[in-house]
Amino acid sequence: MATVSEAIGLALPYSAGAPAPYEIRDAFCTTAGEKVMELIASNIRPRDIVTRRALENAAAVVAASGGSTNAALHLPAIAHECGIKFDLFDVAEIFKKTPYVADLKPGGRYVAKDMFEVGGIPLLMKTLLDNGHLHGDCLTVTGRTIAENLKSVKWNPNQDVVRPADKPITVTGGVVGLKGNLAPDGAIVKVAGMSNLKFTGPARCFDREDDAFEAVQKKTYKEGEVIVIRYEGPRGGPGMREMLSTTAALTGQGMGGKIALITDGRFSGATRGFCIGHVGPEAAVGGPIALLQDGDTIEIDAVAGTLNVKLTDAELAQRKTKWRARETNHTSGALWKYAQQVGPAVNGAVTHPGGAHEKQCYADM
């Protein structure tokens, strides 16, 4: 996700990829302070930089680096703050047409430090720009455009961390959006490093991650099943926590490619295997994921971008008549308040109307 800050134009070139202990970060901090003062003097604000095209650049860099599925939350939320409509499906559309070129873990061979050493995020952005996958005219905090910032960046042929965008690892980005009768509001899956992009199996349903983790620990699941973890979405969690412990346990048991996992919660960027998150509408509001029963056949196709359960509309509607909202333990305090306000994952799980509804910009006050 650090790549986003440079790709969207809000961070100085090379600054986001520099490892934490490197002394060059001191120079970046000093320069950032100077740039802030220049931007104030020039009256250039974040909303001048974060445009629809800048958000598309950010999504492209995430896809090209096999980045986190969390981008499908963060980018719509950033757009929301700026009054721009840019939801999960918009992010997925960029993912679909952007090549995957940075061979980074967990799906690839290298780590972020390796990419910094061979040219950093600008090297990745340069090959995307040269091959038509970035908007070069977007303004950045340097006061110059993306294209101007990258003008002096030369391709480094003595490395294989980042491939040329016209000779990618795969022609489609490392993250794919899904939609179907199980996810009318969309879902997201990380496919970087995966060889099999289709999976069909019977559902094994859990109403919280703790129960699913216990089942995995005790190995009471079966190979070929689709583990469903629900009521972990923005409202149901509340807070949409990561399902990292369960996926890590499955990987540790050697089941990464032998089962699938879907949830209305989130996944970490370190997740491996066929793991689908952000399924919406979430279970807490009665989405289709809440209506699943053990044994229902779930079909996942990350090539076609679909996520379906083999049930008719009539069968789903019949089950919906019997569904009742699940009680939560969070009946007061900040988590209760958050659950009342938070919106769906498709729009970034935001808690207020956003920039489009402002009558006066706070920066003008």
Side-chain angles (χ1 to χ4, degrees):
M1 287 304 301
T3 62
V4 164
S5 60
E6 283 192 39
I8 208 167
L10 291 175
L12 295 170
Y14 298 98
S15 65
Y22 279 31
E23 289 185 0
I24 195 173
R25 296 201 70 87
D26 294 340
F28 283 132
C29 287
T30 301
T31 305
E34 294 170 352
K35 283 295 177 185
V36 166
M37 300 309 294
E38 291 177 14
L39 291 165
I40 291 172
S42 303
N43 198 31
I44 296 176
R45 299 174 178 177
R47 291 184 186 180
D48 297 317
I49 295 170
V50 181
T51 62
R52 167 79 188 215
R53 290 163 71 82
L55 289 159
E56 291 176 353
N57 283 348
V61 170
V62 171
S65 59
S68 174
T69 54
N70 288 316
L73 272 177
H74 301 324
L75 293 179
I78 292 170
H80 178 79
E81 293 291 332
C82 298
I84 301 168
K85 187 186 180 304
F86 191 73
D87 62 20
L88 180 149
F89 295 113
D90 295 311
V91 175
E93 191 61 32
I94 301 298
F95 288 168
K96 189 188 303 181
K97 61 186 182 183
T98 305
Y100 168 43
V101 297
D103 196 6
L104 300 174
K105 288 182 181 294
R109 296 176 294 162
Y110 298 102
V111 295
K113 174 181 177 295
D114 298 319
M115 187 164 77
F116 180 76
E117 301 290 0
V118 302
I121 295 167
L123 182 73
L124 172 62
M125 292 176 63
K126 176 70 170 177
T127 189
L128 291 177
L129 179 67
D130 288 349
N131 288 276
H133 299 291
L134 285 187
H135 304 297
D137 58 349
C138 291
L139 182 66
T140 74
V141 288
T142 65
R144 300 187 297 272
T145 64
I146 290 283
E148 289 169 338
N149 287 344
L150 297 176
K151 187 175 182 180
S152 61
V153 175
K154 291 182 171 54
W155 179 251
N156 179 358
N158 303 311
Q159 56 84 36
D160 61 352
V161 181
V162 179
R163 310 278 183 88
D166 57 350
K167 298 176 183 177
I169 301 168
T170 59
V171 295
T172 300
V175 183
V176 174
L178 306 174
K179 189 176 184 180
N181 71 343
L182 187 47
D185 282 357
I188 206 84
V189 59
K190 185 170 182 176
V191 298
M194 289 174 52
S195 54
N196 182 20
L197 301 183
K198 297 181 181 181
F199 196 101
T200 298
R204 177 76 181 281
C205 302
F206 300 92
D207 285 351
R208 59 180 193 147
E209 188 197 10
D210 309 71
D211 295 337
F213 183 60
E214 182 180 353
V216 172
Q217 281 186 309
K218 294 179 178 178
K219 296 185 179 180
T220 58
Y221 63 91
K222 296 177 182 177
E223 183 177 322
E225 288 183 329
V226 179
I227 294 176
V228 178
I229 305 178
R230 57 195 177 191
Y231 295 100
E232 294 287 5
R235 185 180 177 92
M240 210 175 182
R241 60 178 172 167
E242 293 179 345
M243 305 293 105
L244 184 56
S245 59
T246 303
T247 57
L250 287 166
T251 301
Q253 292 175 3
M255 300 298 289
K258 299 173 184 177
I259 61 96
L261 192 153
I262 71 170
T263 180
D264 50 11
R266 296 185 302 127
F267 289 115
S268 161
T271 297
R272 301 184 185 189
F274 220 140
C275 300
I276 296 162
H278 306 192
V279 173
E282 63 173 299
V285 298
I289 191 172
L291 310 179
L292 291 177
Q293 297 174 3
D294 288 349
D296 287 342
T297 300
I298 295 175
E299 299 175 325
I300 308 164
D301 188 337
V303 178
T306 57
L307 176 60
N308 290 298
V309 57
K310 286 189 110 176
L311 294 172
T312 65
D313 291 344
E315 288 172 316
L316 285 170
Q318 176 61 26
R319 290 188 186 184
K320 184 67 179 285
T321 63
K322 300 177 181 179
W323 176 82
R324 296 294 179 269
R326 179 172 171 266
E327 290 187 7
T328 177
N329 293 328
H330 304 288
T331 53
S332 67
L335 286 177
W336 175 87
K337 186 183 295 184
Y338 172 85
Q340 310 314 305
Q341 295 175 316
V342 70
V346 65
N347 295 322
V350 293
T351 58
H352 64 91
H357 293 271
E358 286 181 3
K359 294 185 177 179
Q360 181 175 357
C361 177
Y362 64 88
D364 292 332
M365 294 180 182

